[in-house]
Amino acid sequence: VFHAPLSLFVDGGASHTYQDITWEQHAYRIHSFDHAGFKIWGLTAGILIQVAQLALGRAPAFMEHAPPELGGIMYGCFRYDGHRLQVRGNAENSHHNQEVQEQDVAESNSRN
């Protein structure tokens, strides 16, 4: 268990590093933060960057995603088809939020 100020995850600074990786022809930025002897990285760092943005109401001082010229896309561009993780097409990406909301409503209705 670690404790860290949310500002760490939007301010970056000397404790912040990243590595751009490629998976299925798309680039992803993997963030890492060193704080109080802990290395906070990967999915945990990504979630805390999002939480810090929402809580503090400001964007990170660093580039959150890999640059488009490297093929970088947002993590929300994934979907699970029941068998494997897939990258959404461009048309699907533009309707991602609506699609997620519709899926949540459909799942909720099927439980009732």
Side-chain angles (χ1 to χ4, degrees):
V1 178
F2 65 88
H3 297 272
L6 283 178
S7 60
L8 174 73
F9 303 102
V10 290
D11 293 343
S15 72
H16 174 245
T17 59
Y18 66 87
Q19 179 181 2
D20 291 334
I21 62 164
T22 302
W23 179 68
E24 291 201 7
Q25 302 173 337
H26 297 283
Y28 302 94
R29 182 154 288 179
I30 307 299
H31 295 276
S32 178
F33 298 86
D34 292 318
H35 180 74
F38 289 93
K39 185 176 193 105
I40 307 159
W41 67 282
L43 181 60
T44 304
I47 291 169
L48 289 170
I49 291 168
Q50 293 295 310
V51 168
Q53 287 180 73
L54 290 169
L56 300 175
R58 57 189 164 113
F62 48 84
M63 185 180 283
E64 184 178 0
H65 302 286
E69 59 269 16
L70 293 179
I73 62 173
M74 294 180 64
Y75 303 115
C77 297
F78 290 113
R79 67 182 172 91
Y80 183 68
D81 68 3
H83 301 286
R84 67 187 290 256
L85 192 64
Q86 295 184 347
V87 177
R88 296 175 185 276
N90 286 336
E92 291 178 282
N93 288 339
S94 64
H95 301 289
H96 174 66
N97 289 336
Q98 179 182 353
E99 190 175 283
V100 168
Q101 289 172 353
E102 289 171 358
Q103 182 180 6
D104 289 346
V105 169
E107 288 175 4
S108 175
N109 289 340
S110 70
R111 283 185 231 135
N112 295 332

